Amino acid sequence: MSEVVQLTRTIYRASFMLTPLIPLHVHLVRGERCAAWIDSGVKAMFPQLMIALKAANVAPEKVRFILHTHAHHDHIGCNAQMQDATGCLIAAPAAYAAWHTDFERHYQEFARPVPDLIPDTPALRDEVLSVLDAPRPVDIYLEEGVTFDLGGAVLEAISLPGHMLAEFGWLDRASGVLILGDAITGLDWPILHGHLSVAGYRQSLAKLKRLLDAGEVRRVLFAHFPPMSPSRTRQLIADAERYLAEVEATVIRVLASQPAVTLEAIWTQTCARLGRQREFRALSTVRAHLQDLQARGLVEALDDGRYALR
């Protein structure tokens, strides 16, 4: 899939297949004064993004912003090309600003959360770094509630951490459209898509439900899912809640299988029990659940580096 689609009067979507199973959608919001991209996708998408501008009748110089949801490589990968073509400003969470300018740090912190367990290999470097074009600094640091008035479309930043420790959705209250990055992760992929804060993820799902219940959102657009109605989004949120519970229960079962367990064993056995690939995102996910269980007093970290149920 490699296409450009008009979703509403003012929103266009460019799509790309990251893998045969995983799509990536990047959204253009056209206002009366200027336009903004929500994320920039991967570097190979640049021709498609330019096609989307033409389809939307947006001159390159009218693209004023790239408004990021979060700083992962597949969401910031076309920043340099788009900024060179349009002169736009890059807006992103301050917590991960270094990931935009220091790709080595991006790689190490993202793909090697525990360096002793994740070897630094050419294949891993290629997976993370090959989709990025060039470093570009963040021009605007985002905070909850900040708004960008494009003229006829006002995009408001909604804080939705979990997948990362800082992530935003973008809500146009006038149209009732909410655009998300990975605030709801891929739930049935071959990999554990990854989340860094279990409590943050649960709180973000609860916030999304409140927005839906308040009637402020009439359509939700995603980076990796098709557009959804409020009712379908509620179903996806329920699926995500079950997913979090399943991962937590699996980690607990692994811990209960022996008096003390290493992080590597918990990671390996959790992936095996869930039928997911044993890779770096899963390691970050398992570690997040262990940290959450520790914070709740259910698990303790032993002096020898192993973990045990209390």
Side-chain angles (χ1 to χ4, degrees):
M1 174 178 60
S2 180
E3 61 182 4
V4 173
V5 175
Q6 183 175 4
L7 298 176
T8 73
R9 183 179 62 83
T10 59
I11 299 176
Y12 291 73
R13 183 188 73 192
S15 300
F16 183 83
M17 293 306 296
L18 289 175
T19 76
L21 295 175
I22 300 175
L24 173 63
H25 307 301
V26 179
H27 298 92
L28 173 70
V29 182
R30 180 188 65 194
E32 295 168 1
R33 271 197 311 277
C34 60
W37 283 104
I38 308 300
D39 293 336
S40 68
V42 297
K43 70 179 183 182
M45 292 183 72
F46 179 69
Q48 227 177 317
L49 301 186
M50 296 306 290
I51 291 170
L53 291 181
K54 186 174 181 180
N57 196 29
V58 173
E61 62 270 17
K62 290 294 186 179
V63 178
R64 184 62 174 150
F65 306 105
I66 301 173
L67 305 178
H68 281 294
T69 60
H70 64 296
H72 276 148
H73 62 154
D74 57 324
H75 294 259
I76 71 168
C78 210
N79 278 7
Q81 293 173 90
M82 184 54 62
Q83 191 171 60
D84 286 346
T86 68
C88 66
L89 299 173
I90 296 169
Y96 293 96
W99 285 28
H100 291 254
T101 57
D102 186 344
F103 288 171
E104 179 64 22
R105 178 172 173 178
H106 187 143
Y107 165 71
Q108 295 292 346
E109 293 182 359
F110 174 40
R112 304 186 69 223
V114 184
D116 291 345
L117 297 182
I118 305 289
D120 186 353
T121 66
L124 185 59
R125 283 183 170 273
D126 183 70
E127 178 184 348
V128 175
L129 299 176
S130 66
V131 304
L132 294 161
D133 53 12
R136 287 297 161 89
V138 174
D139 299 300
I140 301 169
Y141 294 149
L142 297 175
E143 296 180 355
E144 170 99 62
V146 67
T147 59
F148 292 81
D149 188 348
L150 310 180
V154 179
L155 295 170
E156 178 182 342
I158 307 295
S159 179
L160 296 167
H163 176 62
M164 293 187 77
L165 300 181
E167 177 156 357
F168 291 90
W170 292 97
L171 175 62
D172 179 3
R173 294 184 187 274
S175 67
V177 173
L178 175 65
I179 304 175
L180 302 179
D182 295 348
I184 302 179
T185 58
L187 305 176
D188 57 359
W189 294 358
I191 61 172
L192 289 172
H193 187 188
H195 46 269
L196 301 183
S197 170
V198 179
Y201 198 162
R202 290 191 175 116
Q203 290 164 9
S204 292
L205 294 175
K207 180 184 283 189
L208 289 172
K209 284 194 287 188
R210 289 195 299 271
L211 286 171
L212 294 170
D213 291 343
E216 298 183 81
V217 177
R218 296 187 289 276
R219 195 175 193 191
V220 183
L221 308 180
F222 298 87
H224 301 295
F225 297 104
M228 294 187 187
S229 65
S231 61
R232 178 65 189 92
T233 303
R234 285 189 183 90
Q235 293 173 16
L236 184 65
I237 291 170
D239 291 342
E241 291 170 335
R242 284 190 290 270
Y243 166 81
L244 286 174
E246 181 184 25
V247 175
E248 177 178 293
T250 303
V251 169
I252 290 173
R253 283 195 291 269
V254 171
L255 286 163
S257 67
Q258 49 194 297
V261 195
T262 65
L263 174 59
E264 182 175 15
I266 300 167
W267 168 41
T268 300
Q269 292 177 40
T270 297
C271 289
R273 290 175 185 234
L274 293 173
R276 308 298 177 100
Q277 295 173 14
R278 180 183 178 274
E279 50 86 72
F280 68 89
R281 298 171 191 85
L283 178 56
S284 293
T285 299
V286 165
R287 192 168 66 156
H289 278 271
L290 288 170
Q291 291 168 346
D292 182 65
L293 291 166
Q294 285 179 265
R296 290 155 56 195
L298 301 175
V299 166
E300 62 178 331
L302 305 179
D303 292 339
D304 62 4
R306 293 183 299 168
Y307 294 84
L309 292 176
R310 286 189 177 275

